[in-house]
Amino acid sequence: MATARPQDHVMLLRGEFDDLDDVMAVMDRAFDPHHGEAWSRSQCAGILPMSGVSLVLAKTGGRTLGFSLHRTISDEAELLLLAVDPEAQGKGVGKMLLDQFEDSSGEQGASRLHLEVRDGNRATAFYEAAGFKLAGRRRRYYRGNEGERIDALTYVKTI
């Protein structure tokens, strides 16, 4: 699974339970706590051992720049989390992680990809540019840190 781009030496590596400190550090920097999108450490740890779940880290020089967490079940795959450290955003790391999600999901037999994102999150443009189509809205899905409720947008892509 290790891939690299010569210009920046970013490697995509399979993550494990021992990588959760790095995952949480990236998530803390990448997700605004105001919106309630980030997962807790226990949520991440709880899903890792489940069948079909993969954690992928984007690393350079021993530093974790981003990660994706996804699962494949039968012919469908779901991108559960994708985060890139703000200092590494706009440099192709998110695209590398998203492409890896799509490729590995297809290799595992998935033909349909799913994800959800907070309404208003600028990542919607990123996912739409990658071919994901808006499929629905989950009203009041996220709970912000001040109690406000925010819709989630669901996206799908057929591969």
Side-chain angles (χ1 to χ4, degrees), residues 109-123:
S111 59
R112 188 169 164 97
L113 308 177
H114 301 263
L115 65 87
E116 71 180 33
V117 64
R118 172 185 48 83
D119 189 11
N121 186 326
R122 64 187 175 111

Side-chain angles (χ1 to χ4, degrees), residues 35-36 116 118 140-144 148-152:
H35 301 297
E116 71 180 33
R118 172 185 48 83
R140 302 171 49 85
Y141 184 79
Y142 294 105
R143 178 182 297 257
E148 70 278 12
R149 301 302 292 216
I150 306 163
D151 292 355

Side-chain angles (χ1 to χ4, degrees), residues 47-54 70-73 108:
I47 201 164
L48 274 178
M50 291 183 181
S51 178
V53 172
S54 296
H70 51 89
R71 69 176 162 202
T72 302
I73 301 172
Q108 294 177 51

